[in-house]
Amino acid sequence: MVRDARGSERGSGSILAVAIVAAVLMLFSLVLPVATVLSAQQRVAGAADASALAAADVAVGIRSGSPCPSAATVAAANAARLDGCLIEGPTATVRLTTSVLGFAVSARATAGRPASEAMVPGDAAGDTR
């Protein structure tokens, strides 16, 4: 009686395919949370920039109101929480935080006139006397 040597390997391709699919799903389940947190970091950074700009606009007098509540409103509109707000003349620095998948993601932004550019009388009009 002669037996077929390939008969014992029958069905091994299905097991290999299931193992490959399981490995891909496991890899995807590890990469997805990391990608979600990195995406949230970028979103919070953008919200921090917008909040700092809103606070600086109020500090300079472009908009009416108080700088920090304006920054908090913009932060809330971007699903973030204002953790810190510092106004130094026309410059505003804010810190925002949000929670994603149990991780606290925060960002800090500053907007306004740079410290190296001091206002000189007559400088705003381009006066070069």
Side-chain angles (χ1 to χ4, degrees):
M1 174 173 188
V2 178
R3 296 183 79 179
D4 187 11
R6 293 180 304 184
S8 63
E9 295 180 12
R10 182 163 259 182
S12 62
S14 299
I15 293 174
L16 181 62
V18 168
I20 290 172
V21 168
V24 168
L25 287 175
M26 190 172 10
L27 181 65
F28 183 72
S29 69
L30 294 175
V31 170
L32 185 63
V34 173
T36 302
V37 170
L38 291 176
S39 174
Q41 174 63 39
Q42 292 300 312
R43 183 177 52 83
V44 171
D49 289 341
S51 295
L53 287 170
D57 283 350
V58 173
V60 170
I62 295 173
R63 301 193 57 137
S64 63
S66 297
C68 291
S70 296
T73 301
V74 173
N78 286 288
R81 181 181 70 250
L82 181 67
D83 279 344
C85 179
L86 176 65
I87 307 299
E88 295 177 332
T91 304
T93 301
V94 298
R95 179 181 168 96
L96 271 59
T97 303
T98 191
S99 180
V100 178
L101 300 175
F103 293 101
V105 179
S106 64
R108 191 178 80 118
T110 301
R113 182 176 286 277
S116 63
E117 289 185 23
M119 286 291 284
V120 177
D123 190 30
D127 190 8
T128 57
R129 292 184 236 178

